[in-house]
Amino acid sequence: MSSPRRIVIAPDSFKGTATAPEVVAALAAGLGDGVEIIRMPMADGGEGTLEAIAQTVQGARRTPVKVTGPASFPVDAEWVWLPPTDDAPQGTGVVELASTSGIELLTGGLRPWQASTLGFGQAIAKALDHGVSRLVLGIGSSASTDGGVGMLTALGARFTDEFDMAVAPGAEGLSDIRKVDLARLRALPDAGAQVLTDVTNPLLGARGAAAVFGAQKGLTDPAPVDAALANLVERMHAAQGEAASGARDADPDEPGAGAAGGAGYGLLAWGALLTNGAERVAELIGLREAIAGADLVITGEGSFDGQSAAGKVPSHVAASAREVGVPVALVAGRIADDADTSAFAGAASLTDLAGSSDAAIADPARWLTVAARALVS
């Protein structure tokens, strides 16, 4: 590879090890002098989405908000306001589930039955109060499997039991739902809500929210939660027609309905549209335009494996670079044996460079710097 003069650095976070901006900084440190570096931290809707957009979009403004976290304790979070555009004249509000109802917020252990998306909905409500024309909602890294009930509750819906009392938060209350009242559910903003996710699972069944993602949230038996989610669908179906404009009778089999413990389903029922997270983030930060004038693009993620081609950040960045004929290189914490790296002009594994995964995790900044030097040498 000839020495590049202009390099775009556009990685995802290395989850649990380094944020996307930290990865960018470490890679940039390894590129030396005489190189123009365009820093474009990326995300796919999960943890780090808010930060990537806030740091990259000109005029973005952070707005603090205190919400009820997934363990029912107050959490200091924020949403981001993006400047007006032709199709969103009052600006766009970006809200991230990870920083309001995310699994990383559970400092006292997992809460598979009690964790909820209430805080996520509270942050969305604050953005609506601000008067934004459009919402962009990242829904990765969820702590709960509540089908979006907590979120919808914060937006005005009521979920009650046989005694007309509000059901318990989280998965725990889903089987008790006997009535859903959507009469006071807030309307979508004028330009709608776009939901960022890389998950295409349905809500129910063997590929559903509980069966596939429940274990990582602490569920030992997904069957009761799957049945409880089915009860939610039945009650939501009966409630349609009472909601504010935009709400609809969501199909639990729609791809992405099972994302974020079923928050995807709740958002679909509200009337939001699910979209590929990496693709939409790239559009918001102007990645394609930056790549068009580059000599090299460097992207990456913590673990690059056989699933990484399915909508993950590196695959999207590589496709965008390929469209304009710019070579792209990959840096990952580890590169699995079954991973296809043929789309990349070069690839570097921190685990290989450091000699072990433990060594790479202990000092990721050092090995990211080494990786960058190796790729452009």
Side-chain angles (χ1 to χ4, degrees):
M1 187 184 301
S2 60
S3 297
R5 297 180 304 278
R6 189 171 192 265
I7 300 176
V8 173
I9 307 178
D12 199 351
S13 64
F14 283 36
K15 191 165 185 177
T17 304
T19 66
E22 289 170 345
V23 174
V24 170
L27 290 170
L31 296 176
D33 299 327
V35 178
E36 180 186 359
I37 298 171
I38 310 300
R39 301 173 184 236
M40 308 208 81
M42 275 284 291
D44 60 10
E47 180 185 3
T49 296
L50 201 71
E51 189 67 22
I53 293 172
Q55 287 204 13
T56 311
V57 177
Q58 188 172 8
R61 188 169 69 223
R62 300 171 187 265
T63 303
V65 60
K66 188 179 287 291
V67 302
T68 303
S72 298
F73 297 111
V75 169
D76 290 318
E78 61 184 11
W79 64 275
V80 169
W81 178 85
L82 303 182
T85 57
D86 289 344
D87 58 347
Q90 300 303 314
T92 294
V94 183
V95 187
E96 180 187 81
L97 188 149
S99 60
T100 53
S101 302
I103 197 167
E104 299 296 328
L105 300 174
L106 293 175
T107 56
L110 299 175
R111 296 172 64 90
W113 288 97
Q114 296 81 26
S116 87
T117 53
L118 180 64
F120 182 46
Q122 291 170 337
I124 293 172
K126 288 294 185 181
L128 290 172
D129 291 343
H130 191 80
V132 297
S133 299
R134 177 174 56 207
L135 289 167
V136 172
L137 308 173
I139 63 169
S141 307
S142 170
S144 66
T145 311
D146 75 345
V149 164
M151 172 201 66
L152 292 172
T153 298
L155 293 172
R158 290 190 73 233
F159 298 85
T160 53
D161 61 16
E162 60 182 316
F163 304 108
D164 200 33
M165 300 294 290
V167 300
E172 186 174 38
L174 296 179
S175 60
D176 293 329
I177 297 172
R178 293 296 175 269
K179 182 180 179 183
V180 178
D181 182 355
L182 302 177
R184 294 178 178 82
L185 180 64
R186 297 186 66 164
L188 293 165
D190 291 342
Q194 300 168 337
V195 183
L196 312 182
T197 181
D198 65 352
V199 171
T200 59
N201 299 69
L203 179 66
L204 306 173
R207 294 186 58 251
V212 176
F213 305 110
Q216 68 192 38
K217 298 166 188 177
L219 285 175
T220 56
D221 181 5
V225 177
D226 193 63
L229 287 167
N231 178 60
L232 169 65
V233 171
E234 180 182 349
R235 306 302 175 178
M236 287 287 285
H237 177 73
Q240 291 305 316
E242 306 171 6
S245 176
R248 63 190 179 93
D249 191 6
D251 182 356
D253 290 329
E254 186 165 337
Y265 169 77
L267 286 163
L268 286 168
W270 190 35
L273 300 177
L274 272 57
T275 187
N276 179 275
E279 183 176 335
R280 184 67 178 112
V281 171
E283 181 182 342
L284 285 168
I285 69 175
L287 179 67
R288 187 184 299 272
E289 293 80 3
I291 288 175
D295 299 305
L296 174 68
V297 180
I298 301 177
T299 187
E301 63 180 351
S303 178
F304 189 83
D305 55 29
Q307 301 300 312
S308 293
K312 298 288 188 179
V313 165
S315 65
H316 180 78
V317 174
S320 297
R322 189 163 53 246
E323 288 178 4
V324 292
V326 177
V328 58
L330 171 72
V331 178
R334 62 177 286 274
I335 299 176
D337 293 339
D338 67 343
D340 180 5
T341 59
S342 61
F344 302 97
S349 159
L350 303 193
T351 295
D352 291 346
L353 291 170
S356 71
S357 59
D358 288 343
I361 291 170
D363 195 355
R366 173 189 174 189
W367 296 109
L368 284 163
T369 300
V370 170
R373 289 175 185 152
L375 287 170
V376 299
S377 60

